[in-house]
Amino acid sequence: MTSLRGIGAIFACLLAGAGMLWGAAARADTQIFPIPSASTSRNDGNDVGLIVPILMTDPDGELKYLLAPMLIKNSIVGTRGTLNVFRYDSGGRQMQFIGSFTERIERKIMFNYTDPAFSNGRYFLNFGGAFFKNATARFFGIGQATPESNETNYTDREARANWRFGIYANEVTQISVSQRFRQVSLQEGATDLPFTVDRFPTVDGVTGESLIFGNRATFHYDTRNNLVSPTDGMAITAYAEINQNIRNGDHPVYSRYELEVKKLFPSESKRAILVMRADIQATLGTQVPFFEQSSLGGQNNLRGYGVDRFIDKNLVAVSIEERIHIARTKLAGVTADFEIAPFLDTGQVFNDFKDVSFKDYRMTPGMGFRGIVRPNMVGRIDYGYSKEGGAIFAGLDFPY
């Protein structure tokens, strides 16, 4: 999914959704919504710029394309130009393309195709690939006790390819198989922080090139009433994955496992929805690259810390938030809902399950603000507080 960061993400989401629904009731049309954007984040610095969502409908008034060119000035890597393109077809099929070029170091090109009702709804199909350079990645070392003073920076240079094929056992249960390829190397970063390769040369995955080939089997059970903006139900996802680090001749094989449970508890009016998420991850093997291990911190867990703040082989995390409806208004003739969402994230990473201790859990309370055009558009800004000062994240989806 594209990341239209900052305050503009909320309004881009709402106006795009409004234009889409308005266009469905009118003749084929093109809607353009220039939107200023401003943001700040723990790792990526400050952004200011312009987003221009362009919505194109077919002769029947259905949204066919969503284009979102962006021009952003970043305090670390300079000016960034980005083009986001979505194509929508019947049956929920969707194609996504992102191309981005930044003044300093960063590059990105990504393609993704999803068909949730392949072959008359019997199967799920997804495939895609990407190449990118993220110049503001951080690494503090392995483990829960890594101090903030250990912070280093590197450019994460990656190439990825993946496919997934699923079979629906019934309306709420899917079993799928997938494969992925990941090429990773660390290069000089864009900040004044120490270079990760100089500070942590002995950590697995830091030096040289890693070539990861993975095979995964996934079980997914989902009774939520909507995949994008649910108000009720639960989802359970479990996977087992066998991976090979082709560049590692001594210990190339390792495995990863995850069990994630999400449950929504709506009030009778659905003006308040309690959402809980529990996540357990495990990695078995030796010499596993650090970027293939479990991590805490970022927009989806432990939101008071920057992305990948804590890294280790295993993870236990619990999050809870209360999504409270505060306002409803009309935008371009459609209804937009606004919510606040106080939350608490907690969790820890560890090398072995015998090391789990309640005293080692990190906790980050915070507050979220969301704009929703149901059923298909969500924009959010979350602020989480931590002992390291807190972090702000924005995106076009719920955190879970």
Side-chain angles (χ1 to χ4, degrees):
M1 176 172 291
T2 185
S3 176
L4 307 182
R5 297 178 300 155
I7 296 174
I10 295 292
F11 299 101
C13 163
L14 294 176
L15 291 174
M20 179 181 63
L21 296 178
W22 179 85
R27 62 180 177 83
D29 203 355
T30 298
Q31 301 290 326
I32 302 175
F33 302 99
I35 300 167
S37 174
S39 73
T40 182
S41 71
R42 174 67 175 78
N43 291 0
D44 297 332
N46 303 318
D47 282 351
V48 61
L50 184 69
I51 307 171
V52 186
I54 304 169
L55 290 85
M56 300 179 182
T57 57
D58 63 20
D60 296 324
E62 297 293 332
L63 180 66
K64 191 69 175 180
Y65 293 97
L66 170 60
L67 285 71
M70 305 167 57
L71 186 63
I72 303 294
K73 177 68 173 180
N74 178 265
S75 60
I76 299 176
V77 294
T79 302
R80 175 187 299 119
T82 303
L83 176 63
N84 305 275
V85 180
F86 291 85
R87 172 172 171 159
Y88 303 94
D89 292 305
S90 60
R93 292 189 300 273
Q94 178 177 316
M95 182 181 69
Q96 178 187 8
F97 170 81
I98 300 175
S100 178
F101 183 90
T102 307
E103 188 176 357
R104 292 187 59 203
I105 302 175
E106 295 195 340
R107 309 286 184 265
K108 183 174 186 179
I109 185 168
M110 188 274 286
F111 173 82
N112 189 68
Y113 176 83
T114 301
D115 186 352
F118 181 65
S119 187
N120 296 319
R122 291 178 293 179
Y123 308 112
F124 174 96
L125 177 66
N126 169 259
F127 59 88
F131 170 81
F132 63 88
K133 298 173 73 173
N134 172 18
T136 60
R138 302 291 202 274
F139 184 63
F140 295 79
I142 299 294
Q144 184 80 4
T146 54
E148 188 178 7
S149 59
N150 274 10
E151 185 174 14
T152 62
N153 169 230
Y154 65 95
T155 292
D156 177 17
R157 181 192 183 280
E158 292 200 30
R160 297 183 180 184
N162 62 273
W163 66 266
R164 176 183 166 193
F165 181 79
I167 299 175
Y168 292 103
N170 53 47
E171 292 183 353
V172 297
T173 306
Q174 180 193 124
I175 299 172
S176 67
V177 294
S178 60
Q179 290 182 318
R180 67 187 180 98
F181 174 81
R182 186 180 188 188
Q183 178 192 41
V184 183
S185 60
L186 275 60
Q187 300 177 347
E188 287 276 0
T191 75
D192 294 330
L193 292 166
F195 183 27
T196 301
V197 174
D198 295 336
R199 182 67 65 86
F200 297 100
T202 62
V203 172
D204 293 310
V206 168
T207 59
E209 180 187 56
S210 298
L211 296 176
I212 310 298
F213 182 68
N215 300 273
R216 176 182 295 191
T218 303
F219 170 84
H220 186 60
Y221 173 83
D222 196 343
T223 65
R224 293 173 299 171
N225 56 1
N226 186 272
L227 296 180
V228 177
S229 57
T231 59
D232 200 356
M234 73 179 301
I236 300 173
T237 301
Y239 75 73
E241 183 179 74
I242 300 296
N243 301 279
Q244 181 177 8
N245 185 355
I246 299 172
R247 294 297 194 199
N248 187 339
D250 296 328
H251 303 281
V253 179
Y254 58 94
S255 58
R256 302 169 64 196
Y257 308 87
E258 180 178 18
L259 173 63
E260 181 187 45
V261 180
K262 296 178 281 190
K263 174 64 177 174
L264 292 86
F265 300 90
S267 65
E268 185 174 352
S269 65
K270 294 191 176 181
R271 295 178 65 87
I273 304 172
L274 178 67
V275 188
M276 302 182 67
R277 189 264 300 271
D279 190 16
I280 300 175
Q281 299 177 21
T283 305
L284 303 180
T286 57
Q287 295 186 338
V288 181
F290 75 92
F291 48 80
E292 283 283 292
Q293 300 182 34
S294 299
S295 73
L296 283 173
Q299 65 176 359
N300 296 323
N301 63 31
L302 217 58
R303 282 168 276 179
Y305 293 93
V307 177
D308 295 338
R309 173 60 182 88
F310 303 103
I311 296 175
D312 213 326
K313 282 188 173 182
N314 308 300
L315 172 152
V316 174
V318 176
S319 296
I320 181 171
E321 69 177 37
E322 183 79 13
R323 298 171 185 169
I324 304 169
H325 181 271
I326 57 171
R328 174 169 290 176
T329 188
K330 288 283 187 178
L331 288 176
V334 298
T335 301
D337 292 318
F338 295 90
E339 296 178 348
I340 59 171
F343 63 82
L344 177 66
D345 295 340
T346 183
Q348 68 172 298
V349 295
F350 45 91
N351 183 67
D352 193 287
F353 276 87
K354 64 179 174 54
D355 300 328
V356 177
S357 172
F358 285 107
K359 69 178 182 179
D360 292 329
Y361 277 86
R362 297 290 194 273
M363 291 191 180
T364 59
M367 179 66 71
F369 175 77
R370 282 77 188 270
I372 307 167
V373 176
R374 288 188 165 90
N376 44 20
M377 289 289 178
V378 176
R380 66 176 170 113
I381 296 176
D382 289 340
Y383 170 75
Y385 173 78
S386 73
K387 294 180 179 179
E388 296 181 2
I392 298 174
F393 298 97
L396 294 178
D397 58 0
F398 282 118
Y400 49 85

